Amino acid sequence: MSDASLPAAALPRGRLARQDGAAARIVLIALALGFLALFLALPLAIVFIEALARGWQAYLGALADDDALAAIRLTLLVAAIAVPLNVVVGVAGAWAIAKHEFRGKSLLVSLVDLPISVSPVIAGLVYVLLFGAQGYFGRVLASYGVEIIFALPGIVLATLFVTFPFIARELIPHMQALGNAEEETALTLGASGWRTFCMVTLPNIKWSLLYGVLLCNARAMGEFGAVAVVSGKIRGLTTTMPLHVEILYNEYMSVAAFAVASLLALLALVTLAAKSFLEWRYADQIAASRRH
Amino acid sequence: MSEASIRACFHRTLPAVALLASLFAVSGARAQTDLLNVSYDPTRELYREINAAFIAEWNAANPKKIRGIRQSHGGSGSQARAVIDGLNADVVTLALAGDIDAIAGRAGKLPKDWQARLPHNASPYTSTIVFLVRKGNPKGVTDWGDLVKPGVQVITPNPKTSGGARWNYLAAWAWAERAFNRDEARVRDYIAALLRNVPVLDTGARGATTTFAQRGIGDVFLSWENEAHLALAEFGAGRLEIVYPQLSILAEPPVAVIDGNVDAKGTRAEAEAYLRFLYTPKGQAIIARHHYRPREPQHADPKDVAKFPLLTLVTIDEAFSGWGKAQPVHFGDGGTFDQLYKPGR
């Protein structure tokens, strides 16, 4: 084979590869879009179609039902307790892991990830084993009349467990990337530790923190498995929105079930929209804080 | 963000925190004046009507009012487990005596002879197990023997968690014992073949009903009689029909006050009156309306009573020497169900 023949032979093959690439690209894009439409957009649309199957009046009536309102209130309450607690603990944990070196740090990192790898059912069951009437602390708690399982505290505990990693996981890589230089500068200029945190660290991580809070909140309101185990399913008292959806569906009240489900779906959409809006509105700031 | 702005932000969130705290307080106060009825899956519609009737009657006659009766529904076994783990039930209305025995045995919250405290073995209503099939009965299922035919898909919940499924299982077993002249090897073959025709085990009767009627899975659904009628009403008689086998089991779903809980909450009088209400003429009429077989049919609407065909019903006591025996032998760890159910093989 001579050297001169090489480019001649390579040229058509290259053109063919480019054509292949275009075809493959179209097929892959169509596949991805089709998949998303079929398995994400369609189910989401069906939630709203089913919810409005008997018109707006039935839809609003289903949401104004006492038990539905109680479920919405409980869900908001649980999220209002769980999310702030996770913010405090998540920021503290991320701060410790990202900015300091200490013994057992890798253990702490793995513990932060633990709730993601553990099935939510297990998360619920361990609290039943700890605080249930037959559990380790059950008799002591019962003698003081403290109810944890099948009441609000149990639901909050289970939600805390499953939502814990969301904020810390969002913060740790960002804080590690930021490094310690700015904090060290603030400290050498005489700022207190708390002042350094409020005026240097917090402004730098606020976008990651906000993402973490959005994700954590979405999961806290949507959690089913762990909460189902500790709820006792008392209608109007210990049923969160996801549990209430299941109860209504099982009672053949599909309009009511999908009406409540549509609120949860709306929450997901609002979360997504808020995240996209923030990314678009503050793109330069986010890029700047990431670059630090 | 400056310290001042953080402080301002904190002050702005304070009212919201206070509002949430007040919501918490309200829900806490409400919990104390209610009764809690922990029940099994198919009774949702029945107790909705019973509760309204009982509250009206009680509040008209008593100075201490009942604000509401809360309901919790699920598979009978898992509901019993929740009460054992501390679910604060005033009364339990479960699918079978074995589950209330478990509460008495493990939690000690009611005496072991609880079943003698109310008439008719503490069961204000009975029911039985029937077949629900698709319109026109395309697979020609008429009796228990047809369930093991190849290609017939049978829907039944998991007997480990569902009371109804345990009645299903024992009804099939009782039929097979008679059909095969108590030849235990053939009975076991029959049950194993039946379980091989079950594509999915739901945890409760209601989940199984939805699987069969709404998702359209399976050819025959072993169902509580009342649940079968409800499914007919929900999904239209044009799509489903009920087949009565020649023999079935007399299911006695019992009720009991949980002494430990009502004494702690001070609701004993209300809880006991609530269960006694089930035995009154008014209670029995509501029971028949929801397709449970009333103990005293003379109080029910004859039109409702006419919907209960006569069929041979064996009792758990005569066929299995009671739940005390049947529970460990068939559904305990390593019992006949564990031996005969081989999913995916």
Side-chain angles (χ1 to χ4, degrees), chain B residues 43-315:
Chain B
T43 58
R44 298 159 195 260
E45 293 76 13
L46 168 68
Y47 281 111
R48 195 173 302 143
E49 198 175 342
I50 290 277
N51 292 352
F54 169 70
I55 290 172
E57 193 171 291
W58 171 273
N59 284 354
N62 291 281
K64 193 181 158 201
K65 310 285 185 215
I66 295 174
R67 192 164 336 176
I69 298 174
R70 300 212 170 264
Q71 290 293 139
S72 169
H73 293 276
S76 187
S78 30
Q79 292 293 79
R81 178 77 240 184
V83 174
I84 291 167
D85 282 331
L87 183 56
N88 211 347
D90 296 274
V91 302
V92 287
T93 53
L94 295 180
L96 47 90
D99 285 331
I100 304 185
D101 283 340
I103 300 173
R106 284 170 185 257
K109 282 191 170 175
L110 71 167
K112 293 220 153 83
D113 66 342
W114 59 271
Q115 213 165 0
R117 297 193 296 187
L118 285 166
H120 301 295
N121 285 332
S123 305
Y125 42 83
T126 65
S127 191
T128 188
I129 301 301
V130 301
F131 301 163
L132 195 62
V133 297
R134 312 245 170 243
K135 187 73 191 171
N137 198 358
K139 298 273 166 128
V141 176
T142 56
D143 209 355
W144 293 95
D146 299 325
L147 301 181
V148 296
K149 282 186 193 159
V152 174
Q153 281 200 325
V154 182
I155 301 294
T156 175
N158 188 341
K160 293 276 186 181
T161 53
S162 157
R166 269 173 271 175
W167 290 113
N168 291 348
Y169 185 94
L170 293 181
W173 191 285
W175 173 85
E177 278 208 325
R178 280 164 198 234
F180 304 125
N181 257 329
R182 303 192 182 278
D183 177 347
E184 179 151 356
R186 291 185 66 194
V187 172
R188 295 171 76 99
D189 284 348
Y190 167 78
I191 296 286
L194 172 56
L195 291 174
R196 272 198 299 277
N197 278 352
V198 178
V200 51
L201 289 172
D202 285 284
T203 53
R206 188 50 62 86
T209 312
T210 350
T211 297
F212 180 77
Q214 215 151 335
R215 296 187 205 133
I217 298 174
D219 303 306
V220 51
F221 172 40
L222 308 186
S223 167
W224 288 103
E225 185 178 36
N226 50 285
E227 187 76 0
H229 280 285
L230 188 75
L232 277 195
E234 259 334 295
F235 299 101
R239 293 174 52 196
L240 304 168
E241 60 186 63
I242 297 176
V243 171
Y244 278 87
Q246 300 214 314
L247 172 144
S248 193
I249 197 157
L250 179 74
E252 297 184 302
V255 300
V257 167
I258 305 294
D259 299 54
N261 291 348
V262 293
D263 288 342
K265 290 161 82 176
T267 49
R268 178 178 280 280
E270 291 88 338
E272 285 180 346
Y274 177 56
L275 293 189
R276 276 197 307 273
F277 178 77
L278 295 167
Y279 290 89
T280 62
K282 209 187 265 175
Q284 293 282 303
I286 296 175
I287 280 166
R289 188 151 57 226
H290 287 270
H291 309 291
Y292 294 82
R293 298 186 173 213
R295 288 294 191 174
E296 287 165 26
Q298 69 272 22
H299 298 308
D301 186 336
K303 260 190 281 174
D304 291 329
V305 178
K307 285 185 193 158
F308 302 121
L310 288 174
L311 65 163
T312 315
L313 294 175
V314 298
T315 70

Side-chain angles (χ1 to χ4, degrees), chain A residues 67 70 73 76-77 80-81 128 131-135 139 147 149-150 152-153 194-195 198-199 202-203 206 231-237 246-254, chain B residues 1-3 6 20 23-24 27 30-31 36 44-45 48 70-74 79 81-88 106-107 109 206-207 209-210 214-215 227 230-231 234-235:
Chain A
D67 289 339
R73 206 162 47 203
L76 292 176
L77 178 62
I81 297 171
V128 172
F131 302 118
Q134 313 297 313
R139 293 204 186 274
E147 284 187 341
I149 298 303
F150 309 125
L152 180 75
W194 174 244
R195 194 175 155 86
C198 286
M199 302 192 64
L202 208 53
K206 63 184 172 195
S231 124
K233 294 178 190 160
I234 308 172
R235 264 188 95 125
L237 199 63
E246 194 211 16
I247 287 178
L248 290 171
Y249 183 74
N250 277 342
E251 292 179 0
Y252 306 116
M253 296 159 79
S254 71
Chain B
M1 214 184 281
S2 72
E3 270 179 90
I6 288 173
L20 286 167
L23 281 176
F24 183 28
S27 60
R30 206 198 290 168
L36 172 58
R44 298 159 195 260
E45 293 76 13
R48 195 173 302 143
R70 300 212 170 264
Q71 290 293 139
S72 169
H73 293 276
Q79 292 293 79
R81 178 77 240 184
V83 174
I84 291 167
D85 282 331
L87 183 56
N88 211 347
R106 284 170 185 257
K109 282 191 170 175
R206 188 50 62 86
T209 312
T210 350
Q214 215 151 335
R215 296 187 205 133
E227 187 76 0
L230 188 75
E234 259 334 295
F235 299 101

